[in-house]
Amino acid sequence: SRVMFANRKAAEMLGHARSKLFRRQLTSFVDGRVKEVMQSSIATRTDRGHERYEITYPHPDGGSRVFEVAASPISLEAGASGS
């Protein structure tokens, strides 16, 4: 899953310029166990449907932030899917 839109507040929360977020893999913002959980959730989202979970994000300022992720599968034309 890639970032297709980020408003000013999302960019502030992530500590990156909006231009640096566009088309970036969501999992590129995290590492370790959090990355594994996100990759697994993305890979099986179509089967599981809507879900909510929290992740700890290592902010560029050296601190960390806790985000709640609310994700749902999205079916697109031609059989493609996303979330």
Side-chain angles (χ1 to χ4, degrees):
S1 293
R2 295 183 183 274
V3 175
M4 299 309 293
F5 173 79
N7 63 22
R8 180 189 55 78
K9 189 62 175 177
E12 284 178 23
M13 289 169 40
L14 293 169
H16 294 281
R18 287 178 62 196
S19 62
K20 299 291 183 186
L21 299 176
F22 186 65
R23 294 198 180 259
R24 189 164 164 190
Q25 289 284 344
L26 291 173
T27 55
S28 72
F29 295 103
V30 294
D31 54 16
R33 180 73 183 128
V34 173
K35 188 172 199 163
E36 291 173 17
V37 167
M38 287 183 73
Q39 287 172 326
S40 175
S41 293
I42 291 167
T44 59
R45 181 150 306 125
T46 301
D47 297 331
R48 289 192 332 272
H50 178 79
E51 64 182 335
R52 288 181 182 268
Y53 56 95
E54 287 186 352
I55 63 164
T56 301
Y57 169 68
H59 197 274
D61 69 5
S64 62
R65 310 290 191 275
V66 176
F67 291 118
E68 180 180 25
V69 176
S72 297
I74 300 172
S75 295
L76 307 173
E77 292 182 35
S81 64
S83 62

